[in-house]
Amino acid sequence: MRDRVRLVSRPIDTAALAAEVVAPGRGGVVTFLGLVRDHHAGRQVIRLEYSAYAPMAEGELARIVGETEARWPVAVAVEHRLGELAIGDAAVAVVAAAAHRGDAFEACRHVIEEIKRRVPIWKREYYADGTVGWVDPTAAPDQAAAPR
Amino acid sequence: MTLAAPATVTLRVLLFARYAELLGHDTLAITLPAPATVGDVVRSVRSERGGDALPPRVLAAVNLVQASDATALADGDEVALLPPLAGG
């Protein structure tokens, strides 16, 4: 299972990722893609950088996938990209494949929510005005990307 | 003969993202009197140059698993201080 969970420093190939969990008995496949947005808290973002505590992030991703596959009859594959990304690049992809769509949708949603809650990954945004900020999803919206 | 517990623990402390910027390091070696907890490590890091800017609550992990302030530490443990997570 662990080999279907990866931190990568190259573009995410969603078709290749989906191929890892597609099987003749799995007729419902849901893919979630998280793309780099061009704005955050009202500011224009030009690029960003993801970094991670890699050994813990990989372990936590594997635990999330293990828990999800124990709770729903699904197979899940996940990649999260690190390093410098451009607007529109895929930062994360989650693919959940099940016999039927209901389990695939629920499992896919569960995995991405748990990734946001538990996996030690950080995002540094570069803004059009030349400033840089660490994204803090726990901060109030007007402080989430304070200039530094 | 009984083995005495070590009088101190030396910990490898990892700092990430904004916390590494605040402290100017991504790794610190910290020695504390035994027994020591995660809360003791956070207090010690706060006393370092730049550490006073850490927020009141700091998320931590010990040996790759999330921990609380009360988590007890053994000599050689790896303690990571984690800024607010922003993956996905």
Side-chain angles (χ1 to χ4, degrees), chain A residues 64-77:
Chain A
I64 291 168
V65 168
E67 290 164 12
T68 303
E69 290 181 343
R71 182 166 160 191
W72 288 275
V74 294
V76 174

Side-chain angles (χ1 to χ4, degrees), chain A residues 54-127:
Chain A
M56 181 178 173
E58 285 171 344
E60 205 63 43
L61 284 172
R63 274 191 288 275
I64 291 168
V65 168
E67 290 164 12
T68 303
E69 290 181 343
R71 182 166 160 191
W72 288 275
V74 294
V76 174
V78 178
E79 285 189 351
H80 200 300
R81 191 169 166 190
L82 301 178
E84 198 166 303
L85 276 73
I87 305 305
D89 283 347
V92 63
V94 178
V95 185
H100 303 285
R101 67 185 179 283
D103 289 327
F105 272 109
E106 284 177 26
C108 187
R109 176 72 190 256
H110 178 75
V111 169
I112 187 61
E113 299 301 337
E114 291 298 293
I115 287 173
K116 288 187 169 285
R117 209 170 65 78
R118 289 163 56 181
V119 178
I121 292 178
W122 298 282
K123 183 157 67 170
R124 188 170 159 82
E125 290 181 330
Y126 293 77
Y127 304 104

